[in-house]
Amino acid sequence: GQNIDQPTEMTATEGAIVQINCTYQTSGFNGLFWYQQHAGEAPTFLSYNVLDGLEEKGRFSSFLSRSKGYSYLLLKELQMKDSASYLCAALDSNYQLIWGAGTKLIIKP
Amino acid sequence: GAVVSQHPSWVICKSGTSVKIECRSLDFQATTMFWYRQFPKQSLMLMATSNEGSKATYEQGVEKDKFLINHASLTLSTLTVTSAHPEDSSFYICSAVLLAGGPNEQYFGPGTRLTVT
């Protein structure tokens, strides 16, 4: 079956760095997304990886290893506004998004 | 950037009534729109895929006679929850795929919070 695994909750300190991991098993693979979702709001797009390696975008970076079925989202210089859920989603061979349950990130001062 | 709107942003209705939710792509044409439902503290669950000019494709377990989807144009899709019940109370989110865009060109609406009393 198709499955996405990511930690349920993580806590980090303002100004620090945090890495949120995601492993996936899908029927075929056409890329991996990371979304940020604040409570009560719709998700907002953060990144899309389809090739192996690290993509950096400001304070956020996303990494993909297709051979390992693994991705991570790296957040640097954490700010209080980064407190949110981070959703990992993989695109399968039918271009359907398979969603993880999300990682709730709590930032402490 | 591409903007997707939803209307209403929140709605309260009585059990047994029907509610229509609109999803519009404001500045681009979308061949495909997706409808999701999200219960508290859970991830998004895809309900259906809506393609302009054709019937929607529903995910397993989603009643197509209860959740009516119409994708009348390249900028508008509607979801009607018929004979709503309290268990239908949820956060409904649509997303639109940019015409001729890549798989990463998916934009989400702000969501509609439905409460059925």
Side-chain angles (χ1 to χ4, degrees):
Chain A
Q2 309 203 92
N3 192 50
I4 304 281
D5 282 318
Q6 54 181 130
T8 305
E9 187 174 296
M10 299 181 71
T11 302
T13 306
E14 189 177 15
I17 299 173
V18 71
Q19 177 175 310
I20 303 174
N21 296 323
C22 169
T23 56
Y24 64 89
Q25 289 177 303
T26 56
S27 301
F29 180 75
N30 279 299
L32 189 124
F33 294 80
W34 284 97
Y35 286 87
Q36 180 190 61
Q37 186 177 26
H38 285 101
E41 298 180 12
T44 55
F45 171 81
L46 290 178
S47 68
Y48 170 69
N49 294 64
V50 67
L51 301 176
D52 285 351
L54 185 69
E55 299 250 353
E56 297 186 71
K57 199 184 289 185
R59 293 190 299 115
F60 293 5
S61 302
S62 56
F63 171 83
L64 176 68
S65 168
R66 294 178 65 139
S67 62
K68 295 181 179 178
Y70 167 69
S71 172
Y72 68 72
L73 180 69
L74 190 71
L75 293 79
K76 303 177 184 176
E77 301 170 19
L78 286 170
Q79 301 175 9
M80 297 304 292
K81 67 179 182 180
D82 297 330
S83 292
S85 285
Y86 291 85
L87 307 175
C88 170
L91 204 60
D92 71 8
S93 57
N94 294 319
Y95 288 91
Q96 294 281 345
L97 269 179
I98 312 301
W99 292 88
T103 299
K104 183 178 180 181
L105 177 63
I106 300 168
I107 310 295
K108 295 185 175 180
Chain B
V3 178
V4 176
S5 71
Q6 276 183 247
H7 177 80
S9 54
W10 60 271
V11 58
I12 301 173
C13 71
K14 290 187 176 180
S15 186
T17 61
S18 295
V19 174
K20 181 187 282 189
I21 303 170
E22 291 186 350
C23 176
R24 292 182 185 271
S25 54
L26 298 185
D27 51 0
F28 68 99
Q29 292 183 320
T31 49
T32 302
M33 290 184 175
F34 299 95
W35 286 97
Y36 293 89
R37 181 166 52 181
Q38 186 177 34
F39 293 105
K41 298 184 181 180
Q42 295 186 23
S43 190
L44 281 75
M45 293 171 49
L46 180 65
M47 298 177 67
T49 301
S50 169
N51 293 300
E52 186 267 338
S54 63
K55 290 184 178 180
T57 303
Y58 290 81
E59 294 301 300
Q60 193 171 10
V62 178
E63 300 174 57
K64 57 184 177 183
D65 294 331
K66 180 172 179 63
F67 298 99
L68 302 178
I69 291 173
N70 183 277
H71 194 152
S73 74
L74 287 171
T75 59
L76 173 65
S77 176
T78 59
L79 168 68
T80 302
V81 183
T82 62
S83 187
H85 291 285
E87 56 265 31
D88 298 324
S89 298
S90 188
F91 192 44
Y92 291 86
I93 306 170
C94 74
S95 71
V97 179
L98 186 67
L99 184 66
N104 53 325
E105 298 283 358
Q106 180 178 183
Y107 302 93
F108 284 88
T112 296
R113 188 162 301 283
L114 170 64
T115 301
V116 184
T117 60

